[in-house]
Amino acid sequence: MGTLSVSAPVNGTLVNGNPALREQPDQVVSAPYGSGWVAELIAADVGELQELMPAEVAREKARLDLQRFRRRVALHLLADDQGQ
């Protein structure tokens, strides 16, 4: 087991980390808005929080990003198959 640096969308001070992730790190992916939370921060500038996108928008953006990624991988694999 190791550590992983995670960036945050705002500047702040780390208040608490999720100890459950030591035993079940997959929760970050399977339950990011539930038991897979990563950290609690105190924002250095509360005004930065107003610039964050709502969770619903972030989820949709992530879904579309993943869809585009999968298509690119599929096209790349298809091109490799045709080249052999």
Side-chain angles (χ1 to χ4, degrees), residues 14-81:
L14 179 65
V15 177
N16 192 14
N18 185 351
L21 296 181
R22 292 185 191 279
E23 298 297 321
Q24 295 179 309
D26 60 305
Q27 290 180 23
V28 169
V29 175
S30 64
Y33 295 99
S35 58
W37 64 274
V38 175
E40 292 180 41
L41 302 172
I42 294 178
D45 178 0
V46 179
E48 287 182 332
L49 298 176
Q50 300 301 319
E51 298 174 20
L52 296 176
M53 67 178 74
E56 298 80 22
V57 175
R59 267 185 245 142
E60 180 62 12
K61 183 181 180 321
R63 186 187 70 75
L64 292 172
D65 287 346
L66 180 58
Q67 186 179 47
R68 281 190 290 273
F69 172 76
R70 287 178 175 160
R71 284 182 182 157
R72 286 183 183 161
V73 169
L75 288 172
H76 179 75
L77 293 173
L78 182 61
D80 280 354
D81 283 348

